[in-house]
Amino acid sequence: QVRLVESGGGLVQAGGSLRLSCAANGRTFDRSTIAWFRQAPGKEREFVARISWNFDIIFYSESVKGRFTISRDRANNTVYLQMNSLKPEDTAVYYCGQTTASMRTSDVQQYRGWGQGTQVTVSS
């Protein structure tokens, strides 16, 4: 079971940027899809973005499209989430998960390997 490690969160003003990292902790992302999800207090974990490791197929939620960019670094076995033009409603704990079920699923139930998450707080 891959245990992922998220990092890069912090406190930023509205309009600012952050870059989150998701590392495989010594394992491989080969032949899997990696996704970012977020969870705000009192809300369910929601899909943000995903990328297929081998085919670079990318998909975003409507709420972040045009502001966030997901990418992969094969050399470092890491997935990034570049977040620009941040809004207060982006405030949440961000998690990354991994699935081999499909390259095109955004279903949180299909993902495994959740780490501890990284807190993103956007002030107005």
Side-chain angles (χ1 to χ4, degrees), residues 1 17 19 23 27 30 48 69 71 86 88 90-91 97 99 110 113:
Q1 176 83 30
S17 298
R19 190 178 78 157
R27 301 289 294 274
D30 192 36
V48 174
T69 302
S71 62
L86 282 161
D90 294 318
T91 295
T99 185
Q110 299 293 327

Side-chain angles (χ1 to χ4, degrees), residues 18-22 29 32-37 47-53 56-61 64-73 78-84 94-98 103 105-106 111:
L18 285 172
R19 190 178 78 157
L20 306 184
S21 298
C22 173
F29 284 139
S32 67
T33 294
I34 299 89
W36 286 97
F37 290 78
F47 169 79
V48 174
R50 56 175 161 82
I51 183 168
S52 64
W53 187 255
D56 206 22
I57 297 172
I58 291 172
F59 186 76
Y60 298 98
S61 70
V64 307
K65 191 178 295 183
R67 300 188 297 122
F68 291 10
T69 302
I70 190 170
S71 62
R72 56 171 166 71
D73 182 340
T78 300
V79 171
Y80 299 102
L81 185 68
Q82 177 67 43
M83 307 187 296
N84 299 328
Y94 283 69
Y95 301 88
C96 59
Q98 181 182 26
M103 291 187 291
T105 181
S106 302
Y111 286 83

